C-alpha cells in the first residue's frame, strides 16, 4: 500500500532567547540561525514524556515513520504580501553578490551556475532569502561574554564564556511532514498533533543553556493562513508547478543532507549522484539530469540523552546546497510534489535531506533588501471591530495569529469586571508593550556613560550571572544589591567607581542597586523612561481604551503601571538590559584596543 503524505504548517514564536547549539565547546556556544529538525524532534519527545504520552514518543519520535520534523525557517510577516508565501529558505549556494568599487552601481546577484561570469569581484550571498529574492532575512542574534565558575578542582575559578543566541520575539515556520495509509488517517494524525501542541502550550522549550536563561520558550500554533478545518497542505514549502521539458530548476536543501557514496563513506560531495538516484527511483529513468552542483559541508552533531554524552559528528551537505536539474520530459505538479516528499540521504525524521525545487533566479537582480523575521508591527492587542452597525463584539488579535472575542458592553468600568483570561491577557499585552521602551532607555543610559564609568568586565559578568538566576523581580533586585554590598574592603573601588547617569546627574552603581532593591516604585519614577514614551507604547495595546478616551493612559493601564509588582518587574528589566549593554561596550572597546578579555582584569576582588 502506498503512503499518503502531507504537511502541517506551524508558526513558531520565540518567547525567550534560544541557543540551538552547533557544537559542544563549553566555552564558546554558537546557535544555528534556524531551528533544526532534530531540535524540534527533541522538544516534542520531552513534551510528550512530561505529559505521559509514552506511546506517542515511540510512534512519532523514535520510529520516525509518521512524523518528520522539517527545519523551521524564518517567516516574513513584516513584509507579507497577500497571497505570497511567507517562509524564507536558505540562500542557494550558487548565488553570489557583486562588490562594487569606487562608487559603482549598487550590487547585484550573480548566478555562478549560469556560466555568464562578471568582471566584478563577488562574495557569497548567504543567509535566507524570500521566494522572490527581493528580501534577504536577517535573523537577530546577540553575543554575550560573561564570567562563569569552573566546575572542577578544589578552588573554582572564574572562566570567560561566550554565547551567541537567537533573540526573542522572532517568528519561524516549519511544515512537519505527516505520513499515513489513507487521507482519513492523515487528517486524524494532523488533528492529534494539533491537540498535543495545544495541550503542551506554555511548556515547550527549544535548545540548551537553560541555566543562562536561554531556555528557548516557544509558542507553536497553526499558521494564520491555514484553515483549521483542513490543516494538511500538499506542498513542502511553496506551491508546486508543472515542470516543462527542457527547463532547469534548482534543488535547494532546506536542512543538512547526510550523503553516503557507493563505498558507504560519508561524503557531502556525492550530493549530485544521490539526487540523480532519487529522481530515478521516484519518477523513473530519463526524467531529469544534473546540470550543475554547488555544495558546502557542515558538521551534524547530536547529544544522546540516555548516555548523557555527544554522539559522533558527521559531515553533511549544508543547507542551501544546490543541484541544478534539467528536465528531459514534462513533469506534472503532482510528480514534483512526489519528488519533494522524498528525502535525499539519511535521517529523514530529523528533517535531514528535505529540499524544494525552485525556478532559476532572474539575471541581474539587485541585492535583496534586508528585513527581520519579527512579527508585523503591533499585531497583538489591536482591537478589530466590524463597522457594519457595530453589532459584533470587539476582538483582540494575539501574536499567535488567532483572536479572542471580548464580552458585549466592552470596555468595562474597571478591568476587574472582565473575565479572568481577559485580565491576564491585558496584563501580558501591557508588559510586552512596555518592554521595548524600557530596553531602549537602558541602552541609552549605557551609551551616555563614559567607558571609565562602567563596571569592569569581571564585575559585569558576576552581576549578570546573578541577574539570570530564577526568582521574583524583588528577589533578583535584592540579590544584585547584596552582591555589590558583599565585596571585600580592598575591592570596594570596583563597585564604588562605576557611575550611572540620570536626569538629575549621576549616581554610583552601589547606590543605584541599593535604591532599586529598597523601593522599586520610587526608583522607577526617578530612573525609568519618560512617561509620554511609555504611555504611547501602552496605548497601542490597551484593550480597555474606548473612543471617548482622550488621555494616553486609561485608568486600568495607569493602575497596572503604578503597581509595586510592575515597578519591580520593569526595574529588573531596565537593570539587566543596562548590564548587557555595558558589557557589550566594554567588549567592543577591548576588541578595538587589544585589551585583555573579560575575566582577566584584576580590578574586581572577591565577594
Amino acid at each position: 500500500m502506498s503512503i499518503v503524505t502531507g504537511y502541517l504548517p506551524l508558526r513558531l514564536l520565540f518567547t525567550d532567547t534560544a541557543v540551538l547549539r552547533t557544537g559542544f565547546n563549553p566555552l564558546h556556544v554558537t546557535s544555528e540561525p534556524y531551528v533544526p529538525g532534530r531540535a524540534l524532534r527533541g522538544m516534542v519527545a520531552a513534551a510528550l514524556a512530561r505529559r505521559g504520552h509514552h506511546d506517542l514518543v515511540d510512534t512519532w519520535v523514535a520510529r520516525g515513520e509518521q512524523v518528520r520534523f522539517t527545519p523551521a525557517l524564518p517567516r516574513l510577516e513584516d513584509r507579507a504580501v497577500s497571497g505570497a508565501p511567507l517562509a524564507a529558505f536558505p540562500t542557494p549556494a550558487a548565488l553570489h553578490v557583486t562588490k562594487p568599487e569606487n562608487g559603482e552601481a549598487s550590487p547585484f546577484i550573480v548566478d555562478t551556475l549560469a556560466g555568464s561570469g562578471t568582471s566584478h569581484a563577488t562574495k557569497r550571498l548567504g543567509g535566507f532569502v524570500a521566494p522572490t529574492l527581493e528580501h534577504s532575512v536577517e535573523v537577530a542574534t546577540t553575543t554575550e561574554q560573561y564570567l562563569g565558575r569552573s566546575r572542577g578542582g578544589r578552588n573554582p575559578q572564574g572562566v570567560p564564556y561566550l554565547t551567541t543566541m537567537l533573540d526573542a520575539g522572532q517568528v519561524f515556520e516549519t511544515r512537519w511532514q505527516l505520513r499515513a495509509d489513507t487521507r482519513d488517517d492523515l487528517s486524524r494524525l494532523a488533528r492529534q498533533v494539533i491537540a498535543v501542541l495545544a495541550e503542551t502550550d506554555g511548556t515547550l522549550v527549544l535548545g540548551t543553556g537553560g541555566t543562562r536563561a536561554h531556555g528557548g520558550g516557544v509558542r507553536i500554533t497553526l499558521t494564520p493562513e491555514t484553515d483549521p478545518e483542513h490543516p494538511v497542505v500538499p506542498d513542502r514549502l511553496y506551491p508546486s508547478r508543472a515542470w516543462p521539458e527542457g527547463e532547469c530548476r534548482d534543488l535547494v536543501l532546506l536542512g543538512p543532507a547526510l550523503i553516503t557514496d557507493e563505498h558507504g563513506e560519508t561524503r557531502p560531495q556525492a550530493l549530485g549522484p544521490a539526487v540523480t538516484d532519487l529522481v530515478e527511483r521516484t519518477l523513473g529513468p530519463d526524467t531529469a539530469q544534473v546540470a550543475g552542483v554547488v555544495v558546502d559541508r557542515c558538521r551534524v552533531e547530536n547529544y544522546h540523552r540516555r548516555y548523557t554524552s555527544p554522539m559522533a559528528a558527521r559531515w553533511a551537505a549544508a543547507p542551501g546546497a544546490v543541484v541544478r536539474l534539467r528536465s528531459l520530459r514534462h513533469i506534472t505538479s503532482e510528480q514534483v510534489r512526489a519528488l519533494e516528499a522524498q528525502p535525499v540521504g539519511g535521517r529523514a525524521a530529523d528533517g535531514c535531506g528535505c529540499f524544494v525545487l525552485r525556478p532559476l533566479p532572474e539575471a541581474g537582480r539587485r541585492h535583496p533588501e534586508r528585513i527581520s523575521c519579527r512579527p508585523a508591527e503591533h499585531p497583538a492587542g489591536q482591537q478589530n471591530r466590524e463597522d457594519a452597525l457595530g453589532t459584533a463584539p470587539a476582538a483582540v488579535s494575539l501574536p499567535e495569529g488567532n483572536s479572542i472575542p471580548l464580552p458585549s458592553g466592552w470596555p468595562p468600568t474597571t478591568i476587574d469586571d472582565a473575565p479572568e483570561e481577559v485580565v491576564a491577557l491585558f496584563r501580558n499585552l501591557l508588559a510586552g508593550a512596555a518592554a521595548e521602551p524600557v530596553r531602549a532607555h537602558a541602552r541609552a543610559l549605557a551609551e551616555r556613560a563614559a567607558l571609565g564609568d562602567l563596571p569592569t568586565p569581571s564585575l559585569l559578568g558576576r552581576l549578570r550571572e546573578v541577574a539570570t538566576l530564577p526568582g521574583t523581580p524583588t528577589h533578583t533586585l535584592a540579590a544584585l544589591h547584596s552582591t555589590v554590598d558583599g565585596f571585600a574592603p580592598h575591592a570596594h573601588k570596583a563597585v564604588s567607581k562605576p557611575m550611572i547617569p540620570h536626569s538629575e546627574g549621576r549616581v554610583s552603581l552601589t547606590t543605584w542597586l541599593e535604591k532599586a532593591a529598597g523601593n522599586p516604585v520610587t526608583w522607577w519614577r526617578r530612573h525609568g523612561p519618560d512617561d509620554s514614551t511609555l504611555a504611547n507604547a501602552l496605548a497601542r495595546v490597551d484593550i480597555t481604551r474606548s473612543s471617548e478616551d482622550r488621555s494616553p493612559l486609561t485608568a486600568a493601564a495607569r493602575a497596572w503601571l503604578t503597581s509595586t509588582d510592575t515597578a519591580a518587574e520593569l526595574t529588573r528589566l531596565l537593570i539587566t538590559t543596562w548590564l548587557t549593554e555595558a558589557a557589550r561596550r566594554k567588549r567592543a572597546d577591548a576588541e578595538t584596543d587589544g585589551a585583555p578579555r573579560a575575566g582577566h582584569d584584576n580590578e574586581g576582588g572577591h565577594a
Side-chain angles (χ1 to χ4, degrees):
M1 179 183 296
S2 60
I3 296 295
V4 178
T5 187
Y7 304 92
L8 186 64
L10 299 172
R11 178 182 185 266
L12 282 69
L13 171 65
F14 278 100
T15 60
D16 194 2
T17 54
V19 175
L20 305 165
R21 301 180 68 152
T22 58
F24 297 98
N25 182 350
L27 299 182
H28 192 171
V29 179
T30 303
S31 179
E32 296 276 13
Y34 66 102
V35 185
R38 66 182 186 274
L40 293 168
R41 192 182 183 193
M43 174 199 70
V44 171
L48 291 175
R50 283 195 299 267
R51 292 285 176 170
H53 299 307
H54 299 288
D55 56 333
L56 296 181
V57 174
D58 181 62
T59 56
W60 289 5
V61 180
R63 296 183 183 274
E65 296 175 355
Q66 292 186 349
V67 183
R68 291 178 175 176
F69 298 91
T70 309
L73 303 170
R75 186 174 159 85
L76 311 177
E77 294 185 355
D78 194 32
R79 300 295 179 89
V81 179
S82 179
L86 290 174
F89 70 103
T91 302
L95 297 187
H96 286 217
V97 63
T98 59
K99 297 190 290 185
E101 299 177 357
N102 302 324
E104 296 176 355
S106 58
F108 57 90
I109 293 176
V110 175
D111 181 6
T112 58
L113 286 178
S116 55
T118 176
S119 58
H120 296 80
T122 64
K123 62 179 180 179
R124 283 280 299 275
L125 184 56
F128 301 89
V129 291
T132 59
L133 299 185
E134 293 179 357
H135 301 105
S136 64
V137 185
E138 184 174 10
V139 179
T141 62
T142 298
T143 300
E144 287 188 342
Q145 188 175 13
Y146 62 95
L147 192 65
R149 295 178 179 177
S150 60
R151 296 185 177 180
R154 291 185 175 181
N155 300 314
Q157 298 179 348
V159 178
Y161 289 79
L162 195 68
T163 301
T164 299
M165 57 191 172
L166 297 181
D167 290 352
Q170 301 185 93
V171 285
F172 293 76
E173 180 176 335
T174 178
R175 294 196 175 188
W176 292 352
Q177 185 178 8
L178 307 182
R179 305 169 80 242
D181 294 332
T182 65
R183 288 289 173 190
D184 291 341
D185 292 340
L186 194 67
S187 298
R188 279 192 291 270
L189 177 60
R191 288 193 294 269
Q192 190 178 14
V193 172
I194 294 171
V196 168
L197 290 176
E199 179 186 351
T200 57
D201 186 36
T203 65
L204 298 176
V205 173
L206 273 171
T208 59
T211 56
R212 286 293 303 166
H214 307 315
V218 63
R219 303 288 301 276
I220 302 182
T221 56
L222 280 177
T223 56
E225 61 273 12
T226 302
D227 182 2
E229 298 298 323
H230 303 90
V232 179
V233 298
D235 297 303
R236 164 72 75 182
L237 196 59
Y238 308 120
S240 299
R241 298 184 304 169
W243 189 354
E245 180 181 353
E247 180 180 295
C248 286
R249 290 192 182 178
D250 284 343
L251 182 151
V252 183
L253 291 182
L254 301 179
L258 292 162
I259 308 297
T260 55
D261 59 17
E262 63 275 13
H263 304 294
E265 298 290 338
T266 301
R267 186 166 170 263
Q269 292 77 11
L271 179 62
V275 169
T276 300
D277 180 65
L278 176 66
V279 172
E280 291 182 354
R281 284 189 285 108
T282 307
L283 304 180
D286 300 326
T287 300
Q289 64 180 13
V290 175
V293 179
V294 179
V295 57
D296 289 331
R297 66 178 187 172
C298 65
R299 286 163 58 98
V300 174
E301 300 188 0
N302 289 280
Y303 187 83
H304 200 292
R305 174 179 290 183
R306 175 170 296 179
Y307 297 131
T308 63
S309 64
M311 299 173 64
R314 298 178 61 186
W315 288 111
V322 175
V323 178
R324 183 155 297 176
L325 297 172
R326 179 182 295 107
S327 62
L328 302 179
R329 62 175 176 83
H330 180 80
I331 302 173
T332 66
S333 58
E334 287 298 323
Q335 290 175 319
V336 171
R337 290 192 181 108
L339 182 59
E340 288 183 339
Q342 303 300 319
V344 54
R347 298 242 306 257
D350 283 339
C352 293
C354 59
F355 60 87
V356 289
L357 289 165
R358 299 292 303 155
L360 301 190
E362 298 178 10
R365 179 179 287 276
R366 294 300 175 188
H367 189 289
E369 176 189 359
R370 285 189 174 274
I371 62 174
S372 70
C373 59
R374 297 190 180 277
E377 189 170 0
H378 312 309
Q382 296 180 347
Q383 300 181 44
N384 304 320
R385 304 174 184 268
E386 292 185 8
D387 53 6
L389 303 180
T391 56
V396 180
S397 299
L398 301 180
E400 293 79 16
N402 56 329
S403 61
I404 291 181
L406 299 177
S408 59
W410 188 268
T413 305
T414 66
I415 189 63
D416 296 331
D417 296 335
E420 182 179 346
E421 62 271 15
V422 176
V423 175
L425 171 67
F426 169 73
R427 292 169 178 166
N428 289 337
L429 289 173
L430 293 186
E436 186 50 41
V438 172
R439 292 191 183 103
H441 181 65
R443 288 191 287 265
L445 287 178
E447 286 293 334
R448 282 165 52 192
L451 276 173
D453 287 342
L454 295 177
T456 62
S458 61
L459 177 57
L460 285 169
R462 187 171 304 181
L463 292 175
R464 294 174 71 197
E465 188 80 22
V466 172
T468 57
L469 295 175
T472 64
T474 304
H475 179 271
T476 301
L477 296 176
L480 288 170
H481 173 238
S482 63
T483 299
V484 297
D485 193 48
F487 268 58
H490 71 275
H492 189 67
K493 178 182 177 183
V495 296
S496 60
K497 180 181 177 182
M499 304 293 290
I500 291 86
H502 64 95
S503 57
E504 302 175 8
R506 299 194 307 165
V507 62
S508 68
L509 176 66
T510 306
T511 303
W512 200 52
L513 295 179
E514 179 186 1
K515 299 295 184 183
N519 192 332
V521 175
T522 303
W523 188 98
W524 174 252
R525 293 197 191 110
R526 185 175 185 182
H527 298 282
D530 294 338
D531 292 341
S532 59
T533 302
L534 209 53
N536 291 333
L538 297 182
R540 298 191 185 101
V541 298
D542 187 356
I543 60 178
T544 65
R545 174 174 294 278
S546 66
S547 56
E548 289 77 21
D549 286 319
R550 295 294 180 264
S551 174
L553 284 179
T554 62
R558 189 182 304 279
W560 174 85
L561 185 59
T562 55
S563 69
T564 303
D565 290 342
T566 299
E569 178 62 43
L570 295 181
T571 297
R572 178 174 68 172
L573 176 63
L574 194 155
I575 291 176
T576 54
T577 304
W578 184 89
L579 293 172
T580 300
E581 184 63 20
R584 185 198 64 78
R585 286 196 62 196
K586 281 287 190 179
R587 184 168 60 251
D589 179 67
E591 292 173 351
T592 302
D593 298 339
R597 295 179 58 188
H600 293 279
D601 58 86
N602 55 9
E603 296 182 55
H606 299 284

